[in-house]
Amino acid sequence: MKGNPRSLLRNFILEMILYGVLVVAYFLAVLRFLGEPLMELYESSLPLYAVAALILIVAQGVVLEWVTSFLVNLLGLERLE
């Protein structure tokens, strides 16, 4: 295992905090900009709403992982992989 375990734990905690902030920001953005359209879609077509929700879930995971990885690399935090 390369690196100091304390340093890796600290970096892991920082990464989780960063990821948490990004998830909250994403939630608030979706609530503000997509809340009403998603509610209308839910009321008009439940299957289409389910597909849209799944697409948003996958997009969230991919984009937030990319942004978090980019920021962790930018900050030079060591990762246990």
Side-chain angles (χ1 to χ4, degrees):
M1 179 164 106
K2 93 176 186 186
N4 178 344
R6 264 191 129 148
S7 174
L8 290 174
L9 180 61
R10 180 197 59 144
N11 292 347
F12 175 75
I13 291 170
L14 287 173
E15 187 176 345
M16 290 299 106
I17 290 170
L18 178 62
Y19 195 79
V21 168
L22 291 172
V23 167
V24 169
Y26 170 81
F27 171 76
L28 293 174
V30 167
L31 189 61
R32 177 177 171 98
F33 298 113
L34 295 178
E36 187 68 31
L38 286 174
M39 180 58 82
E40 290 174 13
L41 187 58
Y42 175 80
E43 292 171 350
S44 66
S45 175
L46 197 53
L48 190 55
Y49 169 79
V51 170
L54 287 173
I55 290 170
L56 283 172
I57 291 168
V58 170
Q60 169 197 339
V62 170
V63 171
L64 288 178
E65 176 59 30
W66 181 83
V67 170
T68 303
S69 295
F70 173 75
L71 291 174
V72 165
N73 289 334
L74 185 67
L75 294 173
L77 299 177
E78 186 178 356
R79 298 176 88 179
L80 178 62
E81 295 186 17

